[in-house]
Structures are given as structure tokens and as C-alpha cells.
Amino acid sequence: KMGMMGSPTWEEALHDMVMETCLDSFADIPTKVYLWKVFKRAPEPENPEEVLAEIKQKALKGINYIQSVAEKRGKKFVVGDEIGLADVWLYCTLEFSHLAIPDIMEVTPWVKEFVEKFTSDERVKKYVADRPESIIGI
């Protein structure tokens, strides 16, 4: 856990909830989009716009739920005032999803603000600047 899950059990559960919500809400992107759009290992669907719209709608449902939890908490980040595992997981999920949902990093005002706060952290800036680019361009 490396100190990124909070201390009370309730905070640990909230971090888990954010991770599970991301997994559920963005799970179709690799199989329904990246196989044909990025890796060229499947044919493009007959209705790519519908597939992308469906994926975006599912992602927005998860984002809205995470946002509602964060707003109830009233903290700087999703669970607490410091970056935690939920924030890292959410940011990575958003970044991973941008090829399927190009406007994902600013899809709502809350997401845009979250991304700005997260990426302004000096540790995150350093990591993003130093990391190698992935094979899918993120």
C-alpha cells in the first residue's frame, strides 16, 4: 500500500471503490476500441461512432460517481488532501482512455480540475517528464 491508501479502514475502502469503479467503467476500451483503433488486430466495427459513444457514456457514469464521492469528502483530491492510490489510479485510467475518448481529460469541469491539481504535483511532473512513451502513445 506504500502509504497511499489512507489510515482508517474507511479511507482504504474508498480507494478500493475508486479503483473498482474505474475498472468497471473503462473495461471495454481495450477490447472494443484499442484492438481495432490502436493495435489493428481486429476489424473496425461497422458502427465505430456508436461504439465510442457507448464507451464514453459508460466512462462518464463512473466519473460522475467518483465525483459525487469526492465532493462529499470535500478534500483536495478524491479521498484526501494528499495524492493517494485512488488519484493515481483515476489519472492513469483517464490517460489510458484518451485515445478512445479524446476529451476525457476535460470531459467535465470536475475532471479538468482534478487533472490540473494532479499534474501540478512536482512528483507527478517529474515522473511524466522522465517516463518512456508507451506503445500506444500515452
Side-chain angles (χ1 to χ4, degrees):
K1 296 178 186 175
M2 300 169 59
M4 295 192 74
M5 294 280 285
S7 54
T9 304
W10 177 242
E11 283 189 5
E12 288 185 28
L14 289 172
H15 284 280
D16 284 338
M17 180 277 306
V18 170
M19 292 184 292
E20 291 295 328
T21 301
C22 287
L23 287 171
D24 291 344
S25 302
F26 293 83
D28 293 335
I29 291 174
T31 57
K32 289 189 175 181
V33 178
Y34 285 7
L35 284 180
W36 62 268
K37 192 172 184 177
V38 177
F39 300 115
K40 311 295 186 211
R41 299 203 180 206
E44 182 174 319
E46 291 180 20
N47 55 348
E49 294 84 13
E50 288 178 30
V51 170
L52 294 171
E54 175 186 309
I55 284 173
K56 184 174 183 176
Q57 188 63 33
K58 188 174 179 182
L60 279 171
K61 186 176 178 183
I63 287 169
N64 289 336
Y65 179 67
I66 293 169
Q67 176 182 343
S68 73
V69 170
E71 287 175 343
K72 285 178 188 170
R73 303 268 310 150
K75 304 291 184 178
K76 183 176 179 182
F77 293 99
V78 176
V79 175
D81 288 323
E82 299 293 327
I83 289 177
L85 188 57
D87 305 297
V88 173
W89 196 279
L90 176 58
Y91 179 80
C92 290
T93 300
L94 294 170
E95 191 170 83
F96 168 79
S97 303
H98 90 272
L99 291 174
I101 310 168
D103 64 340
I104 194 69
M105 298 303 232
E106 52 192 34
V107 71
T108 69
W110 182 85
V111 169
K112 185 175 182 178
E113 182 182 348
F114 167 78
V115 168
E116 288 170 357
K117 286 189 289 190
F118 186 84
T119 57
S120 68
D121 184 272
E122 291 302 318
R123 298 166 297 174
V124 173
K125 283 183 190 177
K126 181 175 177 4
Y127 171 75
V128 169
D130 295 346
R131 73 178 177 184
E133 189 173 321
S134 75
I135 60 171
I136 60 172
I138 58 173

